Amino acid sequence: MLENKEYTEIINIIENQRWDKLKYLLCEMHAAEIVDIIRILDNDRDRSIVFRLLSRESAAYVFSELETEEQEKIIVSMNDNELKELIHDMSPDDRTSLFEEIPADITKKIFSLMGEQDLNITRQLLVYPEDSIGRIMTPEYIDVEPDYTVKQTLDYIRKHGKDSETFEVIYVVNKEGTLIGYILLKDLLFASQDDKIESLMHTDIIYLSVYSDQEEAVRVGRKYDLLYIPVVDSKNALIGIVTIDDIFDIAEEEDTEDFHKLGAISIDDDFDSNIKQANPFILYKRRISWLFILVFVNIVSGYVIGMFEETISQYVSLIFFLPLLIDSAGNAGAQSSTLIIRSLSVGDVKKSDWLFMLGKEILVSAILGLTMSAAVSLIAIFRGGYMIALVVSLAMILVVIIGSLIGLCLPFLFVKFKKDPTTSSVPLVTSICDISGTAIYLLLATIILSRFTN
C-alpha cells in the first residue's frame, strides 16, 4: 500500500512528464494502487497517459475497477486497436457490467470491434435478467468428467487452465453437463496418477441458479466461506461461476444502497455512491423526495400539539419535556428498526419470526422505558412537581415501548408486501414515532392532570 508521500512523488513525476520513470513505477505497483492514482488525477489527459503506460493485463483489471464515467473518458481517448485489445483482455463478467452502464453509441462501437467468441459470450450473459446471477458469472472455469484420471485432469488443467478464473477448484460434470461434484487442486497433487476423479470428488457442492438474485451470492458466500460459487441452469447443467471479487462488489453495492435507503435517500438509474464525483443536481434529486414527504408527515405533529393547546396553556412546563419525549420515541424506533432491518437483510430473522420478535421487543423496550423513566423523573420533579413527574415518567415508558414496536413492525410490514425492508427508513420511522410520542404524552397529560389537579 502506497503512503501519501509516494502518491505525491508520482503526481510530481506526472506533472514533470517523466514518462519513462512513471512506466517503471507502474510496473512495480499493484493494480489497485494504480486505480487510486488515476482517480486522484484532475486532468483527463494525464489519466489517459497513465492508462496507456500499463501492461495489457494491468490495464484490463484497472479499467474494470474504475467508475463508469472514468471508463467512458478512457474509451473515448483510445483508438480502435487499443480498445479491441482492452475489451478482449477483460473477463466476461466485467465486460458485461461495462455494457450495462455505458451509453448505447459506445456499446455499438465496441460490439463492432469484438471478436465473434467474445461477442457471443457477452450476448449470452446480457440475456439474463438485470441483477441476476447470470449477469455477474463468468463462463471461464475448468470442468472434467468423473471417469477422468488424475493424470488426464492435470494435463487438461495445463492445457486449458490459463484462461480460467480459477484452477484451485475443478468442477465435475457428467456427459450431459450436469454438475455432480468438485475436486480441489491440492487433492489432485497428493493423489495417485491413475486414481479416478469419481473416487476423489466431493459431492457436498453448493451452487446457485443462474436466475437467482445477486444478493443470494453474497448470502451463500458468507454462510459457506466460498471463494467460488458454481452457477447452474434450470436443468442443473454447469454454465458458469461467481468469484469472490464479484461477491465483494455486490456486497459493497448492496450495503451502500441499504445505507442510502436507511437515510431516506432515493436510489434511481443515476445512482452513484461516490458523492465527490456525483452531479449536484443528482444529489438534490436523491434527497428531495423523502424530505418533501417527511415535511408533510411532521405537520401532523404540529396538528396534534394544536389539539392539546388548552392543556399546554395551563401547564406550560409540559413543553420543556416534549422534545425529550418525542426524541426518545424516535431514537427507540430508529434503534429497533435498524436492528431488525439488518437481521432481515442477512437472514438472521425471517418473516415468520415476527410474533416472537414482537414479544421480545416488548420485554426489551419495557425495561428500556423503565430505566429512562427513572432517570427523567428526578428532573421532572425539580422542574414541574410531582404530578408533572408522574406524567413524564409514564409517558416515557409508553413512548419508548410504542416507538420500539413501530420500528420493529414497519420492516416486517414491508417484507409482507414484498418490498425492501430498508424502504422503511430511519427518518420515516422517526417521524411516525414523533407523532405517536407527541399524542401519547399530551393525551396522558390531559387525562392525569385534569383528573387529579382540579
Side-chain angles (χ1 to χ4, degrees):
M1 182 176 178
L2 294 180
E3 301 291 337
N4 287 337
K5 63 179 181 179
E6 293 174 300
Y7 281 117
T8 303
E9 179 186 353
I10 292 171
I11 297 301
N12 288 334
I13 291 172
I14 294 171
E15 289 176 350
N16 294 317
Q17 300 184 10
R18 299 165 63 187
W19 307 126
D20 289 341
K21 185 171 184 179
L22 178 62
K23 185 173 183 178
Y24 171 78
L25 288 175
L26 291 174
C27 289
E28 300 296 315
M29 292 170 61
H30 191 279
E33 296 169 341
I34 299 172
V35 171
D36 291 338
I37 292 293
I38 292 176
R39 283 179 173 163
I40 63 177
L41 292 173
D42 296 326
N43 190 299
D44 290 342
R45 173 179 168 275
D46 290 342
R47 289 196 192 102
S48 177
I49 291 173
V50 170
F51 190 79
R52 286 170 183 270
L53 293 175
L54 301 176
S55 66
R56 286 183 60 172
E57 184 179 352
S58 292
Y61 176 84
V62 168
F63 184 82
S64 65
E65 293 298 308
L66 295 173
E67 300 289 342
T68 304
E69 185 179 342
E70 296 165 335
Q71 290 176 330
E72 288 180 33
K73 290 177 180 178
I74 287 176
I75 288 173
V76 170
S77 71
M78 302 176 77
N79 61 45
D80 286 355
N81 286 334
E82 291 171 332
L83 186 55
K84 183 177 181 180
E85 287 181 355
L86 173 65
I87 298 301
H88 175 73
D89 291 337
M90 292 177 68
S91 64
D93 52 323
D94 289 335
R95 199 184 302 138
T96 304
S97 297
L98 173 66
F99 291 131
E100 288 180 336
E101 303 294 338
I102 60 176
D105 56 332
I106 299 180
T107 299
K108 186 177 180 181
K109 177 184 177 181
I110 295 175
F111 271 3
S112 68
L113 298 173
M114 290 173 64
E116 184 177 351
Q117 183 179 3
D118 290 341
L119 193 57
N120 288 337
I121 292 173
T122 301
R123 283 174 172 164
Q124 179 185 350
L125 297 182
L126 287 170
V127 164
Y128 296 111
E130 190 174 354
D131 295 328
S132 69
I133 295 295
R135 286 292 186 99
I136 59 166
M137 72 176 184
T138 176
E140 296 178 340
Y141 58 89
I142 299 174
D143 62 335
V144 296
E145 293 183 7
D147 59 353
Y148 273 40
T149 64
V150 170
K151 183 179 184 306
Q152 286 176 312
T153 302
L154 290 172
D155 289 341
Y156 185 83
I157 293 171
R158 292 188 188 99
K159 184 176 180 180
H160 300 283
K162 184 178 179 182
D163 296 327
S164 175
E165 284 275 351
T166 173
F167 51 81
E168 293 96 335
V169 181
I170 299 93
Y171 298 100
V172 186
V173 297
N174 60 21
K175 293 189 182 298
E176 289 75 36
T178 303
L179 179 65
I180 59 175
Y182 70 95
I183 186 169
L184 302 177
L185 180 61
K186 67 176 183 179
D187 296 333
L188 296 175
L189 296 176
F190 293 104
S192 171
Q193 295 282 297
D194 297 324
D195 286 345
K196 295 280 189 179
I197 294 299
E198 61 186 348
S199 66
L200 301 171
M201 71 179 186
H202 305 272
T203 56
D204 57 333
I205 190 161
I206 306 298
Y207 57 86
L208 293 168
S209 165
V210 69
Y211 296 105
S212 296
D213 191 274
Q214 291 177 7
E215 288 188 57
E216 187 68 8
V218 179
R219 189 189 69 79
V220 171
R222 283 172 174 167
K223 182 174 182 178
Y224 297 100
D225 293 327
L226 299 175
L227 297 178
Y228 312 98
I229 308 175
V231 181
V232 300
D233 63 12
S234 57
K235 297 181 180 179
N236 273 4
L238 180 64
I239 56 175
I241 62 172
V242 177
T243 58
I244 187 66
D245 59 319
D246 294 313
I247 294 174
F248 280 150
D249 289 342
I250 298 164
E252 181 181 5
E253 182 180 328
E254 296 295 339
D255 287 346
T256 301
E257 186 174 331
D258 286 347
F259 273 117
H260 279 77
K261 287 181 178 178
L262 282 171
I265 298 173
S266 300
I267 305 297
D268 52 31
D269 292 336
D270 298 316
F271 173 71
D272 183 357
S273 61
N274 191 329
I275 62 171
K276 179 181 177 181
Q277 297 180 355
N279 184 299
F281 181 69
I282 300 300
L283 293 176
Y284 165 81
K285 278 202 326 182
R286 286 195 211 162
R287 297 169 64 176
I288 189 58
S289 55
W290 269 108
L291 284 176
F292 199 72
I293 291 169
L294 293 174
V295 164
F296 289 96
V297 172
N298 286 317
I299 285 175
V300 180
S301 292
Y303 178 74
V304 171
I305 292 173
M307 290 173 58
F308 296 95
E309 188 175 346
E310 184 178 341
T311 301
I312 294 172
S313 63
Q314 283 185 277
Y315 306 97
V316 179
S317 57
L318 290 172
I319 294 295
F320 178 82
F321 298 98
L322 184 58
L324 171 66
L325 288 164
I326 62 175
D327 282 351
S328 296
N331 292 337
Q335 285 184 338
S336 177
S337 176
T338 301
L339 288 172
I340 204 67
I341 287 172
R342 183 59 182 166
S343 297
L344 286 167
S345 298
V346 300
D348 291 342
V349 173
K350 295 181 173 55
K351 182 173 66 173
S352 57
D353 296 325
W354 78 271
L355 191 58
F356 172 79
M357 295 306 300
L358 182 67
K360 194 171 187 178
E361 189 62 28
I362 290 173
L363 176 62
V364 173
S365 60
I367 298 171
L368 289 171
L370 285 167
T371 305
M372 295 176 69
S373 172
V376 79
S377 62
L378 299 176
I379 302 173
I381 291 172
F382 174 77
R383 184 76 186 185
Y386 288 102
M387 293 308 299
I388 296 294
L390 176 62
V391 171
V392 172
S393 299
L394 291 176
M396 178 62 79
I397 297 171
L398 289 175
V399 301
V400 170
I401 293 174
I402 298 300
S404 298
L405 295 183
I406 291 171
L408 173 93
C409 292
L410 269 183
F412 276 114
L413 193 62
F414 275 83
V415 170
K416 179 176 176 60
F417 290 102
K418 298 182 179 178
K419 300 293 183 182
D420 188 345
T422 54
T423 307
S424 57
S425 60
V426 169
L428 177 61
V429 169
T430 302
S431 296
I432 295 174
C433 290
D434 287 352
I435 295 169
S436 61
T438 302
I440 290 169
Y441 175 47
L442 295 178
L443 181 61
L444 201 61
T446 302
I447 294 172
I448 293 176
L449 295 176
S450 63
R451 177 168 298 184
F452 295 101
T453 60
N454 292 333

